[in-house]
Amino acid sequence: MNNLLSVLGLILFVNISALAATVNDNIVKSTKLFHSTAHSTTTYHVSGVDDGTYDILISPNEFDQLSHLSVSLKESGEQLPYTWLNGDSYVQPYNFKRLAVQLPPNTPQLTLVLSISLNNPSTPLPSQLTQDDLAYSLSFKTYTHVVTPYHTNEMRVKVRAPTSKIHRYGMTHDDSKTTKNGGSMVYGPWMDVAPYSIPTDHIEILYEAAGPRLKYEVSERSAQVSHWGNVVSFRDDIVVRNNGPSLKGQFTRLTHQAQTFLNVLPTNIATMLSVRLPALSEEVFFVDQIGNVTTSHYKQGDGHSSHSLLQLKPRYPLMGGWKYSFSIGWENSLRFAAKLARDGTTRLSIPFSSTPEDVAVDRHTTRIILPEGAQVHSVYVPFEVDVQYETTTSYLDTIGRNTVVLSKHNTSDAHNGDVTIVYSLSLFNALRKPLAVAAVAFALFSAATLLRRINTRI
Ligand SMILES: *[C@@H]1O[C@H](CO)[C@@H](O)[C@H](O)[C@H]1NC(C)=O
Ligand SMILES: *[C@@H]1O[C@H](CO)[C@@H](O)[C@H](O)[C@H]1NC(C)=O
């Protein structure tokens, strides 16, 4: 009898713990659409968590367009580690990808924030435009629900377009659950949604573009650190492409000038690019294959502002499908970028990229060229990147410079955060350059003296 009771108790206990399953009390997904990118934030109010993990499902579209992803706790902002699960755990037949987020211990109730950035989430329509066509549209496909492995009490999906000119926004089966206000759409609230439920197929949001759709086909940064010169010198080599509808027919400068004069430029033309540089950047340059481009504007941020602004005006307007190659460069005082730690190491922080808002980058590479003789202790990047090491040899170098090469596919402004490198540089190595210069100067001096002697003898 006693045994039977304890077995019953065990069964009850198991049942109760199975009942105390994870529930989404509320989910809100907000997506902000641009032309080349989109940023989306999903807030999950969760309760009943008992095993320390929470699974998030990512739609195949989002997975293919993914540029950046992070999961954090809403209250503290703390980033949480996650792993992608493969194989059978994909949600069929829709092929959603599953992400297992590791939660801090003893948090039955919490609010998670999933932040994702997408590159090229929208398709331009039509695919070609003449110079006289003033407008084009972008088509974005999404689900009206957030798909999740848990029961959800209430959820909403919000989408905001860059203009209020929305040609289509996908009525769901329940018109009263679809609201549009200017360029903002809200789907829901959906109540008591079962796990894994995908009640409607994709909807399409067709919105009119307010500007060009730009991408960087090439984006290469080099940042050279000089203790001797007390500077970090940056150079970015860029190939930008207007990735909107391509130009149909001939380009005529006359039409362009008339449109500029009348202030009716087509939205598909890029005439300006704004790049945020670190505050107090100096020695700024903007060159292309022809030479210095003087039609740029630089507004230096002071010590209080977070950045300086460089406005680049390409030599010609970028029509749909056109490309432009250029380089920009600047210098930052080393004292803003590097700190000497007590143990004698240097802690250097360099922005990984300075990609403008709404530019999709195919692949970005940052080369950080350390002073001669510097030994790298650690490299920290707040997202996944490929890390490689090289040696760069430049003028008057004796042993070459250790160089950290970081690269990543499909980046955007979500990757403009700092890379931190800790390195050490012995006094001898710090003096290597001046010693080399002194040695060369001495050699020249000796040679000159010798020549003078020879000369006087003749
Ligand atoms: C280009 O600009 C840089 C920086 O302003 C300047 O030092 C350099 O002399 C210029 N070169 C030419 C060819 O004008
Ligand atoms: C980058 O994006 C392209 C186009 O969406 C995709 O084909 C490619 O697999 C992505 N690369 C990586 C490394 O994610």
Side-chain angles (χ1 to χ4, degrees), residues 63-66 119-120 361-362 408-410:
F63 187 79
D64 290 343
Q65 298 157 352
L66 203 56
N119 275 7
N120 309 311
V361 183
D362 283 351
K408 188 170 181 65
H409 281 281
N410 301 332

Side-chain angles (χ1 to χ4, degrees), residues 184-391:
S184 298
M185 277 69 63
V186 181
Y187 305 93
W190 312 110
M191 314 303 280
D192 286 323
V193 183
Y196 298 106
S197 91
I198 308 178
T200 60
D201 206 350
H202 279 126
I203 51 153
E204 184 193 23
I205 296 175
L206 188 66
Y207 58 102
E208 198 167 306
R213 187 168 177 263
L214 296 179
K215 84 164 176 175
Y216 283 178
E217 289 189 341
V218 174
S219 178
E220 292 187 352
R221 160 163 296 182
S222 82
Q224 179 151 351
V225 181
S226 165
H227 282 218
W228 187 237
N230 193 29
V231 290
V232 188
S233 313
F234 289 85
R235 180 189 173 96
D236 282 1
D237 296 310
I238 310 280
V239 177
V240 60
R241 179 179 197 271
N242 183 337
N243 210 19
S246 53
L247 178 67
K248 189 162 61 180
Q250 282 287 316
F251 171 75
T252 47
R253 192 157 271 279
L254 209 61
T255 308
H256 177 67
Q257 276 162 355
Q259 288 173 336
T260 308
F261 179 73
L262 297 171
N263 203 13
V264 285
L265 273 181
T267 47
N268 193 32
I269 291 186
T271 55
M272 185 79 91
L273 200 62
S274 294
V275 184
R276 287 178 166 206
L277 305 182
L280 298 169
S281 295
E282 287 170 332
E283 306 288 333
V284 178
F285 67 81
F286 168 31
V287 295
D288 62 12
Q289 278 121 332
I290 301 174
N292 275 357
V293 190
T294 48
T295 49
S296 59
H297 179 73
Y298 176 59
K299 186 168 177 294
Q300 193 191 54
D302 54 24
H304 303 292
S305 47
S306 58
H307 62 269
S308 306
L309 193 65
L310 177 62
Q311 285 179 317
L312 308 173
K313 205 165 172 226
R315 232 174 257 280
Y316 49 87
L318 265 191
M319 308 299 293
W322 289 14
K323 294 183 194 183
Y324 182 63
S325 310
F326 65 93
S327 301
I328 55 174
W330 64 94
E331 287 186 354
N332 288 131
S333 167
L334 193 57
R335 79 193 152 94
F336 298 121
K339 282 199 173 61
L340 197 62
R342 221 168 259 196
D343 61 2
T345 58
T346 302
R347 194 185 162 85
L348 173 77
S349 295
I350 297 281
F352 178 67
S353 59
S354 303
T355 307
E357 187 179 71
D358 198 17
V359 173
V361 183
D362 283 351
R363 182 185 168 86
H364 176 84
T365 303
T366 288
R367 280 193 162 68
I368 301 172
I369 305 164
L370 298 173
E372 243 197 326
Q375 296 300 320
V376 177
H377 291 230
S378 63
V379 177
Y380 171 76
V381 190
F383 36 82
E384 257 179 65
V385 284
D386 293 335
V387 185
Q388 283 182 333
Y389 296 92
E390 285 178 356
T391 308

Side-chain angles (χ1 to χ4, degrees), residues 5-76:
L5 267 183
S6 62
V7 168
L8 272 179
L10 196 66
I11 290 170
L12 266 178
F13 177 74
V14 167
N15 272 341
I16 285 166
S17 70
L19 279 176
T22 305
V23 171
N24 298 310
D25 295 322
N26 192 7
I27 300 179
V28 178
K29 176 172 184 173
S30 303
T31 303
K32 202 171 166 192
L33 298 174
F34 297 88
H35 303 93
S36 293
T37 59
H39 296 297
S40 128
T41 306
T42 312
T43 309
Y44 300 85
H45 292 272
V46 185
S47 60
V49 180
D50 56 1
D51 67 347
T53 64
Y54 181 86
D55 286 5
I56 286 175
L57 303 178
I58 304 284
S59 79
N61 268 2
E62 288 177 337
F63 187 79
D64 290 343
Q65 298 157 352
L66 203 56
S67 162
H68 185 264
L69 184 149
S70 70
V71 187
S72 60
L73 287 176
K74 184 163 194 205
E75 284 77 23
S76 61

Side-chain angles (χ1 to χ4, degrees), residues 370-439:
L370 298 173
E372 243 197 326
Q375 296 300 320
V376 177
H377 291 230
S378 63
V379 177
Y380 171 76
V381 190
F383 36 82
E384 257 179 65
V385 284
D386 293 335
V387 185
Q388 283 182 333
Y389 296 92
E390 285 178 356
T391 308
T392 307
T393 315
S394 65
Y395 185 60
L396 282 183
D397 278 359
T398 46
I399 55 170
R401 297 148 191 261
N402 280 336
T403 302
V404 183
V405 185
L406 307 164
S407 52
K408 188 170 181 65
H409 281 281
N410 301 332
T411 65
S412 60
D413 60 341
H415 300 93
N416 288 349
D418 277 355
V419 172
T420 304
I421 297 184
V422 176
Y423 63 86
S424 58
L425 187 63
S426 68
L427 185 62
F428 170 72
N429 277 324
L431 290 177
R432 198 178 272 278
K433 184 73 169 240
L435 285 177
V437 173

